[in-house]
Amino acid sequence: MSYRPKLFTGINLDGMTRSCCVLIKRRLEVTGLYAHYEKADKLHLTVAFLGWVNPDQVDVIEKTLRETAARVAPFSMTLDKIGAFPHERNAHIVWIGSSEKHPGFEALSTELRSGYEQLGFQFPKETIPHVTIARIKENRTHLPNVDFTPMDMWVSGITLFESLPGEETTRYEVLAEVELAG
């Protein structure tokens, strides 16, 4: 079987946002929520998960990323909600995200996903901007309530990541970082 990279596009967090997400993650741990908590260096805001791709697609994926970044302007957004997939009453993936739509994120997501769709990728209709902070492997449960101060975040770039196997969990390697310039 030949090598196939597992890719996704996301927004790297600035230092302050990353630190705040780590504090929220610790507050969730204190509630007794049994989960695998993501390491600080893996935290990012997901824009488009591509999954396993053919190696010959990587260059065109990166080209699409660069073309999109040239058309989308930097923006700010607020992270103010803890949520879960598939939902809070049956938590499997725990995330920090936004309770409202942000025009900048919506523009970036729509443009990027449209470009990737032209390459044959498919995405859910609704985009939920989120930072995954924990994964619940067993005994899905109600998500505990943890209050926190909303975080304002400036988004000036987008990153293409590869998910690679690590010793205990996956690790992410940056394949391309592109500044938003639109």
Side-chain angles (χ1 to χ4, degrees):
M1 183 174 172
S2 64
Y3 169 74
R4 291 181 60 198
K6 186 177 185 181
L7 305 181
F8 65 93
T9 304
I11 297 166
N12 255 329
L13 304 181
D14 60 66
M16 181 62 77
T17 304
R18 185 176 307 279
S19 294
C20 288
C21 287
V22 168
L23 289 173
I24 295 165
K25 180 181 75 152
R26 288 183 185 144
R27 292 181 65 197
L28 263 177
E29 287 176 298
V30 169
T31 70
L33 180 66
Y34 182 71
H36 168 76
Y37 290 88
E38 294 291 349
K39 294 181 179 180
D41 64 344
K42 288 181 65 178
L43 299 178
H44 64 278
L45 196 124
T46 303
V47 179
F49 180 78
L50 302 171
W52 303 103
V53 304
N54 291 321
D56 59 354
Q57 290 180 293
V58 175
D59 288 342
V60 72
I61 289 168
E62 186 175 332
K63 180 181 180 212
T64 300
L65 177 80
R66 292 184 185 287
E67 290 171 348
T68 299
R71 293 189 303 271
V72 177
F75 58 92
S76 84
M77 62 184 298
T78 302
L79 302 178
D80 62 356
K81 174 183 179 180
I82 295 178
F85 297 129
H87 52 76
E88 287 80 8
R89 293 177 312 282
N90 188 16
H92 180 64
I93 303 290
V94 182
W95 48 263
I96 300 169
S98 181
S99 61
E100 60 185 53
K101 292 185 183 269
H102 290 274
F105 182 85
E106 292 295 318
L108 174 61
S109 177
T110 299
E111 285 278 331
L112 188 62
R113 288 174 180 226
S114 176
Y116 287 159
E117 285 170 350
Q118 292 177 24
L119 303 177
F121 294 95
Q122 296 179 347
F123 303 97
K125 290 185 187 243
E126 185 179 12
T127 303
I128 298 175
H130 68 280
V131 177
T132 298
I133 59 171
R135 299 173 193 281
I136 300 170
K137 299 290 184 186
E138 300 174 11
N139 301 324
R140 294 181 187 180
T141 184
H142 272 69
L143 187 61
N145 187 22
V146 174
D147 291 327
F148 65 94
T149 303
M151 298 169 269
D152 291 323
M153 175 176 149
W154 180 248
V155 178
S156 61
I158 189 159
T159 304
L160 179 63
F161 293 95
E162 181 176 2
S163 179
L164 297 163
E167 289 183 26
E168 297 174 20
T169 183
T170 56
R171 63 183 175 82
Y172 301 149
E173 183 174 306
V174 173
L175 297 183
E177 286 184 295
V178 184
E179 293 295 316
L180 299 178

